[in-house]
PDB file of all heavy atoms in Angstrom:
ATOM      1  N   SER A  89      32.533  95.912  35.439  1.00  0.00           N
ATOM      2  CA  SER A  89      31.335  96.455  36.074  1.00  0.00           C
ATOM      3  C   SER A  89      30.606  95.334  36.801  1.00  0.00           C
ATOM      4  O   SER A  89      30.888  94.162  36.612  1.00  0.00           O
ATOM      5  CB  SER A  89      30.417  97.057  35.018  1.00  0.00           C
ATOM      6  OG  SER A  89      29.789  96.035  34.288  1.00  0.00           O
ATOM      7  N   ALA A  90      29.659  95.726  37.593  1.00  0.00           N
ATOM      8  CA  ALA A  90      28.852  94.732  38.305  1.00  0.00           C
ATOM      9  C   ALA A  90      28.027  93.939  37.301  1.00  0.00           C
ATOM     10  O   ALA A  90      27.492  94.497  36.344  1.00  0.00           O
ATOM     11  CB  ALA A  90      27.932  95.437  39.298  1.00  0.00           C
ATOM     12  N   SER A  91      27.965  92.638  37.517  1.00  0.00           N
ATOM     13  CA  SER A  91      27.182  91.810  36.600  1.00  0.00           C
ATOM     14  C   SER A  91      25.714  91.888  36.991  1.00  0.00           C
ATOM     15  O   SER A  91      25.367  92.215  38.106  1.00  0.00           O
ATOM     16  CB  SER A  91      27.670  90.373  36.629  1.00  0.00           C
ATOM     17  OG  SER A  91      27.484  89.822  37.898  1.00  0.00           O
ATOM     18  N   GLY A  92      24.878  91.588  36.056  1.00  0.00           N
ATOM     19  CA  GLY A  92      23.452  91.629  36.306  1.00  0.00           C
ATOM     20  C   GLY A  92      22.699  90.862  35.256  1.00  0.00           C
ATOM     21  O   GLY A  92      23.277  90.108  34.471  1.00  0.00           O
ATOM     22  N   THR A  93      21.406  91.072  35.210  1.00  0.00           N
ATOM     23  CA  THR A  93      20.575  90.375  34.235  1.00  0.00           C
ATOM     24  C   THR A  93      20.142  91.287  33.103  1.00  0.00           C
ATOM     25  O   THR A  93      19.350  90.872  32.263  1.00  0.00           O
ATOM     26  CB  THR A  93      19.332  89.786  34.924  1.00  0.00           C
ATOM     27  OG1 THR A  93      18.630  90.845  35.570  1.00  0.00           O
ATOM     28  CG2 THR A  93      19.718  88.725  35.939  1.00  0.00           C
ATOM     29  N   SER A  94      20.666  92.529  33.086  1.00  0.00           N
ATOM     30  CA  SER A  94      20.329  93.417  31.977  1.00  0.00           C
ATOM     31  C   SER A  94      21.384  94.511  31.834  1.00  0.00           C
ATOM     32  O   SER A  94      21.963  94.957  32.814  1.00  0.00           O
ATOM     33  CB  SER A  94      18.955  94.047  32.179  1.00  0.00           C
ATOM     34  OG  SER A  94      18.960  94.857  33.332  1.00  0.00           O
ATOM     35  N   LEU A  95      21.647  94.891  30.594  1.00  0.00           N
ATOM     36  CA  LEU A  95      22.465  96.054  30.259  1.00  0.00           C
ATOM     37  C   LEU A  95      21.777  96.760  29.106  1.00  0.00           C
ATOM     38  O   LEU A  95      21.070  96.141  28.309  1.00  0.00           O
ATOM     39  CB  LEU A  95      23.879  95.655  29.828  1.00  0.00           C
ATOM     40  CG  LEU A  95      24.912  95.363  30.895  1.00  0.00           C
ATOM     41  CD1 LEU A  95      26.255  95.062  30.262  1.00  0.00           C
ATOM     42  CD2 LEU A  95      25.049  96.481  31.898  1.00  0.00           C
ATOM     43  N   TYR A  96      22.006  98.051  29.019  1.00  0.00           N
ATOM     44  CA  TYR A  96      21.405  98.843  27.958  1.00  0.00           C
ATOM     45  C   TYR A  96      22.519  99.564  27.212  1.00  0.00           C
ATOM     46  O   TYR A  96      23.533  99.944  27.795  1.00  0.00           O
ATOM     47  CB  TYR A  96      20.394  99.827  28.544  1.00  0.00           C
ATOM     48  CG  TYR A  96      19.314  99.102  29.298  1.00  0.00           C
ATOM     49  CD1 TYR A  96      19.417  98.910  30.680  1.00  0.00           C
ATOM     50  CD2 TYR A  96      18.219  98.562  28.638  1.00  0.00           C
ATOM     51  CE1 TYR A  96      18.449  98.211  31.372  1.00  0.00           C
ATOM     52  CE2 TYR A  96      17.255  97.860  29.332  1.00  0.00           C
ATOM     53  CZ  TYR A  96      17.374  97.689  30.682  1.00  0.00           C
ATOM     54  OH  TYR A  96      16.414  96.983  31.361  1.00  0.00           O
ATOM     55  N   PHE A  97      22.316  99.757  25.922  1.00  0.00           N
ATOM     56  CA  PHE A  97      23.348 100.303  25.056  1.00  0.00           C
ATOM     57  C   PHE A  97      22.783 101.475  24.268  1.00  0.00           C
ATOM     58  O   PHE A  97      21.622 101.456  23.865  1.00  0.00           O
ATOM     59  CB  PHE A  97      23.833  99.225  24.075  1.00  0.00           C
ATOM     60  CG  PHE A  97      24.207  97.943  24.765  1.00  0.00           C
ATOM     61  CD1 PHE A  97      23.283  96.915  24.920  1.00  0.00           C
ATOM     62  CD2 PHE A  97      25.476  97.761  25.271  1.00  0.00           C
ATOM     63  CE1 PHE A  97      23.618  95.742  25.562  1.00  0.00           C
ATOM     64  CE2 PHE A  97      25.831  96.590  25.914  1.00  0.00           C
ATOM     65  CZ  PHE A  97      24.900  95.568  26.061  1.00  0.00           C
ATOM     66  N   LEU A  98      23.621 102.458  24.052  1.00  0.00           N
ATOM     67  CA  LEU A  98      23.247 103.599  23.229  1.00  0.00           C
ATOM     68  C   LEU A  98      23.937 103.421  21.886  1.00  0.00           C
ATOM     69  O   LEU A  98      25.143 103.161  21.829  1.00  0.00           O
ATOM     70  CB  LEU A  98      23.695 104.904  23.905  1.00  0.00           C
ATOM     71  CG  LEU A  98      22.991 106.176  23.459  1.00  0.00           C
ATOM     72  CD1 LEU A  98      21.498 106.088  23.759  1.00  0.00           C
ATOM     73  CD2 LEU A  98      23.593 107.371  24.153  1.00  0.00           C
ATOM     74  N   ASP A  99      23.183 103.534  20.790  1.00  0.00           N
ATOM     75  CA  ASP A  99      23.781 103.322  19.476  1.00  0.00           C
ATOM     76  C   ASP A  99      24.213 104.641  18.841  1.00  0.00           C
ATOM     77  O   ASP A  99      24.121 105.707  19.456  1.00  0.00           O
ATOM     78  CB  ASP A  99      22.843 102.534  18.567  1.00  0.00           C
ATOM     79  CG  ASP A  99      21.585 103.290  18.178  1.00  0.00           C
ATOM     80  OD1 ASP A  99      21.489 104.500  18.453  1.00  0.00           O
ATOM     81  OD2 ASP A  99      20.687 102.663  17.594  1.00  0.00           O
ATOM     82  N   LYS A 100      24.662 104.571  17.611  1.00  0.00           N
ATOM     83  CA  LYS A 100      25.194 105.736  16.897  1.00  0.00           C
ATOM     84  C   LYS A 100      24.132 106.806  16.651  1.00  0.00           C
ATOM     85  O   LYS A 100      24.449 107.972  16.489  1.00  0.00           O
ATOM     86  CB  LYS A 100      25.786 105.275  15.560  1.00  0.00           C
ATOM     87  CG  LYS A 100      26.884 104.269  15.726  1.00  0.00           C
ATOM     88  CD  LYS A 100      27.199 103.566  14.417  1.00  0.00           C
ATOM     89  CE  LYS A 100      28.087 102.371  14.689  1.00  0.00           C
ATOM     90  NZ  LYS A 100      28.170 101.450  13.599  1.00  0.00           N
ATOM     91  N   ASN A 101      22.873 106.398  16.617  1.00  0.00           N
ATOM     92  CA  ASN A 101      21.775 107.331  16.364  1.00  0.00           C
ATOM     93  C   ASN A 101      21.143 107.848  17.657  1.00  0.00           C
ATOM     94  O   ASN A 101      20.037 108.378  17.638  1.00  0.00           O
ATOM     95  CB  ASN A 101      20.701 106.651  15.518  1.00  0.00           C
ATOM     96  CG  ASN A 101      21.243 106.203  14.190  1.00  0.00           C
ATOM     97  OD1 ASN A 101      22.054 106.887  13.578  1.00  0.00           O
ATOM     98  ND2 ASN A 101      20.828 105.023  13.746  1.00  0.00           N
ATOM     99  N   LYS A 102      21.806 107.641  18.790  1.00  0.00           N
ATOM    100  CA  LYS A 102      21.331 108.061  20.109  1.00  0.00           C
ATOM    101  C   LYS A 102      20.043 107.348  20.523  1.00  0.00           C
ATOM    102  O   LYS A 102      19.256 107.853  21.304  1.00  0.00           O
ATOM    103  CB  LYS A 102      21.117 109.586  20.181  1.00  0.00           C
ATOM    104  CG  LYS A 102      22.356 110.387  19.867  1.00  0.00           C
ATOM    105  CD  LYS A 102      23.388 110.181  20.926  1.00  0.00           C
ATOM    106  CE  LYS A 102      24.606 111.063  20.622  1.00  0.00           C
ATOM    107  NZ  LYS A 102      25.763 110.657  21.359  1.00  0.00           N
ATOM    108  N   GLN A 103      19.816 106.143  19.989  1.00  0.00           N
ATOM    109  CA  GLN A 103      18.687 105.299  20.377  1.00  0.00           C
ATOM    110  C   GLN A 103      19.228 104.195  21.281  1.00  0.00           C
ATOM    111  O   GLN A 103      20.295 103.646  21.027  1.00  0.00           O
ATOM    112  CB  GLN A 103      18.026 104.668  19.146  1.00  0.00           C
ATOM    113  CG  GLN A 103      17.377 105.665  18.215  1.00  0.00           C
ATOM    114  CD  GLN A 103      16.139 106.271  18.842  1.00  0.00           C
ATOM    115  OE1 GLN A 103      15.325 105.571  19.437  1.00  0.00           O
ATOM    116  NE2 GLN A 103      15.994 107.571  18.702  1.00  0.00           N
ATOM    117  N   TRP A 104      18.498 103.845  22.335  1.00  0.00           N
ATOM    118  CA  TRP A 104      18.962 102.796  23.229  1.00  0.00           C
ATOM    119  C   TRP A 104      18.303 101.472  22.895  1.00  0.00           C
ATOM    120  O   TRP A 104      17.201 101.405  22.366  1.00  0.00           O
ATOM    121  CB  TRP A 104      18.754 103.172  24.688  1.00  0.00           C
ATOM    122  CG  TRP A 104      17.318 103.286  25.108  1.00  0.00           C
ATOM    123  CD1 TRP A 104      16.548 104.416  25.087  1.00  0.00           C
ATOM    124  CD2 TRP A 104      16.480 102.242  25.596  1.00  0.00           C
ATOM    125  NE1 TRP A 104      15.292 104.140  25.532  1.00  0.00           N
ATOM    126  CE2 TRP A 104      15.221 102.809  25.860  1.00  0.00           C
ATOM    127  CE3 TRP A 104      16.663 100.897  25.851  1.00  0.00           C
ATOM    128  CZ2 TRP A 104      14.159 102.056  26.347  1.00  0.00           C
ATOM    129  CZ3 TRP A 104      15.613 100.142  26.343  1.00  0.00           C
ATOM    130  CH2 TRP A 104      14.375 100.738  26.585  1.00  0.00           C
ATOM    131  N   PHE A 105      19.026 100.399  23.208  1.00  0.00           N
ATOM    132  CA  PHE A 105      18.516  99.042  23.094  1.00  0.00           C
ATOM    133  C   PHE A 105      19.165  98.219  24.204  1.00  0.00           C
ATOM    134  O   PHE A 105      20.152  98.645  24.805  1.00  0.00           O
ATOM    135  CB  PHE A 105      18.798  98.438  21.709  1.00  0.00           C
ATOM    136  CG  PHE A 105      20.263  98.252  21.411  1.00  0.00           C
ATOM    137  CD1 PHE A 105      20.881  97.040  21.641  1.00  0.00           C
ATOM    138  CD2 PHE A 105      21.021  99.301  20.896  1.00  0.00           C
ATOM    139  CE1 PHE A 105      22.234  96.871  21.369  1.00  0.00           C
ATOM    140  CE2 PHE A 105      22.367  99.132  20.608  1.00  0.00           C
ATOM    141  CZ  PHE A 105      22.974  97.913  20.859  1.00  0.00           C
ATOM    142  N   GLY A 106      18.613  97.074  24.483  1.00  0.00           N
ATOM    143  CA  GLY A 106      19.173  96.260  25.549  1.00  0.00           C
ATOM    144  C   GLY A 106      18.642  94.840  25.534  1.00  0.00           C
ATOM    145  O   GLY A 106      17.733  94.502  24.776  1.00  0.00           O
ATOM    146  N   TYR A 107      19.235  94.029  26.395  1.00  0.00           N
ATOM    147  CA  TYR A 107      18.836  92.637  26.562  1.00  0.00           C
ATOM    148  C   TYR A 107      18.660  92.393  28.048  1.00  0.00           C
ATOM    149  O   TYR A 107      19.452  92.830  28.861  1.00  0.00           O
ATOM    150  CB  TYR A 107      19.900  91.701  25.982  1.00  0.00           C
ATOM    151  CG  TYR A 107      20.099  91.935  24.509  1.00  0.00           C
ATOM    152  CD1 TYR A 107      21.126  92.741  24.048  1.00  0.00           C
ATOM    153  CD2 TYR A 107      19.216  91.384  23.600  1.00  0.00           C
ATOM    154  CE1 TYR A 107      21.287  92.976  22.693  1.00  0.00           C
ATOM    155  CE2 TYR A 107      19.369  91.621  22.240  1.00  0.00           C
ATOM    156  CZ  TYR A 107      20.404  92.410  21.806  1.00  0.00           C
ATOM    157  OH  TYR A 107      20.549  92.654  20.474  1.00  0.00           O
ATOM    158  N   LEU A 108      17.589  91.661  28.384  1.00  0.00           N
ATOM    159  CA  LEU A 108      17.317  91.406  29.784  1.00  0.00           C
ATOM    160  C   LEU A 108      16.719  90.024  29.967  1.00  0.00           C
ATOM    161  O   LEU A 108      16.149  89.460  29.038  1.00  0.00           O
ATOM    162  CB  LEU A 108      16.386  92.474  30.366  1.00  0.00           C
ATOM    163  CG  LEU A 108      15.047  92.667  29.666  1.00  0.00           C
ATOM    164  CD1 LEU A 108      13.924  92.433  30.636  1.00  0.00           C
ATOM    165  CD2 LEU A 108      14.995  94.074  29.127  1.00  0.00           C
ATOM    166  N   ALA A 109      16.879  89.503  31.174  1.00  0.00           N
ATOM    167  CA  ALA A 109      16.315  88.198  31.511  1.00  0.00           C
ATOM    168  C   ALA A 109      14.849  88.368  31.873  1.00  0.00           C
ATOM    169  O   ALA A 109      14.496  89.225  32.675  1.00  0.00           O
ATOM    170  CB  ALA A 109      17.083  87.583  32.669  1.00  0.00           C
ATOM    171  N   THR A 110      13.998  87.588  31.240  1.00  0.00           N
ATOM    172  CA  THR A 110      12.588  87.534  31.603  1.00  0.00           C
ATOM    173  C   THR A 110      12.311  86.131  32.131  1.00  0.00           C
ATOM    174  O   THR A 110      13.226  85.328  32.260  1.00  0.00           O
ATOM    175  CB  THR A 110      11.683  87.840  30.391  1.00  0.00           C
ATOM    176  OG1 THR A 110      11.935  86.867  29.377  1.00  0.00           O
ATOM    177  CG2 THR A 110      11.952  89.225  29.844  1.00  0.00           C
ATOM    178  N   VAL A 111      11.080  85.819  32.400  1.00  0.00           N
ATOM    179  CA  VAL A 111      10.747  84.484  32.896  1.00  0.00           C
ATOM    180  C   VAL A 111      11.035  83.466  31.791  1.00  0.00           C
ATOM    181  O   VAL A 111      10.399  83.483  30.738  1.00  0.00           O
ATOM    182  CB  VAL A 111       9.263  84.410  33.322  1.00  0.00           C
ATOM    183  CG1 VAL A 111       8.898  83.009  33.774  1.00  0.00           C
ATOM    184  CG2 VAL A 111       8.978  85.430  34.401  1.00  0.00           C
ATOM    185  N   ASN A 112      12.039  82.637  31.995  1.00  0.00           N
ATOM    186  CA  ASN A 112      12.412  81.546  31.089  1.00  0.00           C
ATOM    187  C   ASN A 112      12.870  81.986  29.702  1.00  0.00           C
ATOM    188  O   ASN A 112      12.813  81.205  28.760  1.00  0.00           O
ATOM    189  CB  ASN A 112      11.273  80.544  30.940  1.00  0.00           C
ATOM    190  CG  ASN A 112      10.938  79.856  32.237  1.00  0.00           C
ATOM    191  OD1 ASN A 112      11.769  79.769  33.127  1.00  0.00           O
ATOM    192  ND2 ASN A 112       9.729  79.374  32.356  1.00  0.00           N
ATOM    193  N   SER A 113      13.295  83.228  29.532  1.00  0.00           N
ATOM    194  CA  SER A 113      13.715  83.693  28.218  1.00  0.00           C
ATOM    195  C   SER A 113      14.665  84.877  28.342  1.00  0.00           C
ATOM    196  O   SER A 113      14.866  85.413  29.428  1.00  0.00           O
ATOM    197  CB  SER A 113      12.488  84.102  27.391  1.00  0.00           C
ATOM    198  OG  SER A 113      12.871  84.479  26.095  1.00  0.00           O
ATOM    199  N   ILE A 114      15.231  85.274  27.213  1.00  0.00           N
ATOM    200  CA  ILE A 114      15.986  86.509  27.095  1.00  0.00           C
ATOM    201  C   ILE A 114      15.183  87.394  26.154  1.00  0.00           C
ATOM    202  O   ILE A 114      14.736  86.945  25.099  1.00  0.00           O
ATOM    203  CB  ILE A 114      17.401  86.267  26.539  1.00  0.00           C
ATOM    204  CG1 ILE A 114      18.222  85.423  27.503  1.00  0.00           C
ATOM    205  CG2 ILE A 114      18.106  87.592  26.272  1.00  0.00           C
ATOM    206  CD1 ILE A 114      19.587  85.041  26.996  1.00  0.00           C
ATOM    207  N   ALA A 115      14.992  88.640  26.552  1.00  0.00           N
ATOM    208  CA  ALA A 115      14.169  89.550  25.760  1.00  0.00           C
ATOM    209  C   ALA A 115      15.019  90.703  25.244  1.00  0.00           C
ATOM    210  O   ALA A 115      15.987  91.121  25.869  1.00  0.00           O
ATOM    211  CB  ALA A 115      13.015  90.083  26.583  1.00  0.00           C
ATOM    212  N   SER A 116      14.620  91.197  24.090  1.00  0.00           N
ATOM    213  CA  SER A 116      15.230  92.380  23.499  1.00  0.00           C
ATOM    214  C   SER A 116      14.294  93.554  23.737  1.00  0.00           C
ATOM    215  O   SER A 116      13.080  93.436  23.576  1.00  0.00           O
ATOM    216  CB  SER A 116      15.423  92.158  21.995  1.00  0.00           C
ATOM    217  OG  SER A 116      15.850  93.336  21.379  1.00  0.00           O
TER     218      SER A 116
END
Side-chain angles (χ1 to χ4, degrees):
S89 74
S91 63
T93 57
S94 63
L95 278 183
Y96 301 94
F97 309 93
L98 201 61
D99 67 10
K100 301 165 192 165
N101 300 322
K102 302 293 183 196
Q103 295 290 316
W104 66 269
F105 65 95
Y107 299 97
L108 56 121
T110 60
V111 177
N112 297 336
S113 183
I114 296 175
S116 173

